[in-house]
Amino acid sequence: MEHKNNDCNNLTPEVIKKLVESAHEAKKMSHSPYSKFRVGAAILTEEDKVIKGCNVENASYTLGVCAERCAIFKAISDGHKKFKALAIACDVIGLNLAPCGACRQIMHEFGGDYLIVLSQPDFTYKTITMNELLPFGFDDSDLNREKINYTN
Ligand SMILES: [Zn+2]
């Protein structure tokens, strides 16, 4: 999965490279004075629009939001719900940072087959699909399954 040079999910290496660069650009906007852990994310929408997000921390620690969710919420609020890929960037040398569990669930809401690009500070990357990142993800189909009868 590392450094794919072939098409992934119909995306060329050039497109993926640009998305990784956008994630690193987004990282520069990070508001992370507490953790000192900058994260950036960039989503490629079905319409080939790139939407960036960064982690936004808060003095009330639990209120912060991750870069991935920031980017997704921006995309949704701009009217985009179908994605081709999402790239993530951090500053840790040698680490292909993967999303936290909460972000995986939010990301899964919008499809299981888009490409997740986990990059390093030197812009190298690994790719994985959303379904590989969150197998057996919970979604709306689970809500609509037949249920047992119960009384409260
Ligand atoms: Zn997260």
Side-chain angles (χ1 to χ4, degrees):
M1 284 196 296
E2 196 161 1
H3 310 296
K4 280 193 171 183
N5 289 320
N6 56 330
D7 282 7
C8 324
N9 214 15
N10 296 320
L11 298 175
T12 64
E14 290 73 27
V15 168
I16 295 173
K17 185 172 177 282
K18 273 190 75 175
L19 197 63
V20 166
E21 289 170 359
S22 292
H24 284 274
E25 277 295 313
K27 182 179 67 178
K28 295 175 184 172
M29 304 308 288
S30 167
H31 178 71
S32 46
Y34 309 105
S35 71
K36 313 281 189 216
F37 196 96
R38 301 186 309 166
V39 183
I43 294 180
L44 181 64
T45 71
E46 196 168 68
E47 302 84 7
D48 291 324
K49 187 172 170 57
V50 174
I51 296 175
K52 296 184 281 189
C54 64
N55 56 331
V56 182
E57 296 181 351
N58 191 277
S60 177
Y61 287 179
T62 60
L63 298 181
V65 70
C66 301
E68 300 91 321
R69 274 179 283 165
C70 178
I72 289 218
F73 294 158
K74 283 177 66 182
I76 297 301
S77 63
D78 278 352
H80 305 283
K81 286 192 176 177
K82 291 191 175 175
F83 309 128
K84 291 181 176 177
L86 187 155
I88 304 162
C90 74
D91 293 321
V92 182
I93 297 165
L95 176 65
N96 295 88
L97 182 67
C100 76
C103 286
R104 293 178 196 208
Q105 179 62 35
I106 295 292
M107 292 158 65
H108 178 75
E109 176 77 9
F110 303 100
D113 60 351
Y114 62 99
L115 196 69
I116 310 303
V117 184
L118 312 175
S119 75
Q120 294 189 20
D122 65 1
F123 293 72
T124 59
Y125 61 85
K126 292 180 178 178
T127 59
I128 189 170
T129 69
M130 191 55 235
N131 275 334
E132 290 170 327
L133 193 62
L134 184 64
F136 309 105
F138 180 79
D139 60 33
D140 62 338
S141 69
D142 297 311
L143 293 173
N144 298 320
R145 289 175 189 256
E146 185 178 2
K147 300 175 186 74
I148 60 168
N149 292 318
Y150 66 95
T151 56
N152 282 357

